[in-house]
Amino acid sequence: MEKVESDQLITQCPLCRDVAAAVAGDLDRLVAVREHSIIVVGEHQFFPGYCMVVARHHAREMHDLPPEIQREIFDDVMTLGRAIEHAFTPFKMNYVSLGNVVEHLHWHVIPRRADEADPKAHPWAESARFTEKKTTPGEARRVSRLIQPFL
Ligand SMILES: [Zn+2]
């Protein structure tokens, strides 16, 4: 990939911008910087403890990455899932990687609670309400502090 294309990706891709900010120590929602990913608190806390693993490379598909990087990112997803389970004791974890809206590899790691209106619905069923629980910098720090000891 040419340098110019790479610079354009960082400018245009919201997750490339998050990775650059995280590595520079300037991302409110940062939980951890890993070798091949960053872990961030989700943009909303409609599901308390919801976080994401974002690849540090701008890859569109998991299978486009070298196998060892695929494994390390998957390990990061599992490590985050266990950490959220310890910190938030959900009744079920949801792991979601779609990339239809933002074509930069990322995993949503979503703790589900038994007392939700419909705990068996997919996690976007009530997406119109996500903005009600938009993550503030203070909430991001609180969630991050709860999860970090288990990473
Ligand atoms: Zn990107």
Side-chain angles (χ1 to χ4, degrees):
M1 183 177 292
E2 291 177 29
K3 181 80 170 75
V4 172
E5 271 182 62
S6 177
D7 288 346
Q8 283 174 347
L9 281 177
I10 290 170
T11 308
Q12 293 170 4
C13 171
L15 292 182
C16 279
R17 286 198 300 267
D18 282 354
V19 168
V23 171
D26 187 28
L27 186 68
D28 284 343
R29 296 182 295 110
L30 183 66
V31 178
V33 175
R34 314 284 279 200
E35 189 173 354
H36 296 291
S37 75
I38 61 169
I39 296 175
V40 298
V41 177
E43 290 185 340
H44 65 80
Q45 289 295 294
F46 187 80
F47 305 105
Y50 158 49
C51 291
M52 292 171 57
V53 172
V54 178
R56 288 177 63 169
H57 302 274
H58 182 92
R60 189 168 185 256
E61 308 291 352
M62 189 88 161
H63 64 243
D64 289 339
L65 293 169
E68 65 273 14
I69 296 179
Q70 293 172 15
R71 282 192 287 272
E72 288 188 30
I73 290 175
F74 197 72
D75 283 351
D76 293 342
V77 173
M78 295 299 101
T79 298
L80 175 60
R82 279 191 298 273
I84 292 173
E85 189 169 68
H86 283 300
F88 287 88
T89 58
F91 92 107
K92 181 76 182 78
M93 293 297 301
N94 288 175
Y95 297 92
V96 184
S97 183
L98 298 171
N100 298 325
V101 176
V102 178
E103 294 184 352
H104 176 133
L105 178 64
H106 59 283
W107 288 79
H108 302 273
V109 182
I110 306 167
R112 305 296 299 269
R113 297 190 329 268
D115 64 354
E116 292 172 25
D118 183 359
K120 293 189 176 181
H122 68 79
W124 274 265
E126 293 194 78
S127 61
R129 298 184 56 208
F130 288 172
T131 54
E132 295 171 16
K133 301 282 187 181
K134 192 166 168 45
T135 304
T136 63
E139 182 69 358
R141 280 191 297 277
R142 190 186 74 81
V143 171
S144 186
R145 277 199 300 266
L146 288 169
I147 291 170
Q148 281 169 336
F150 301 109
L151 291 178

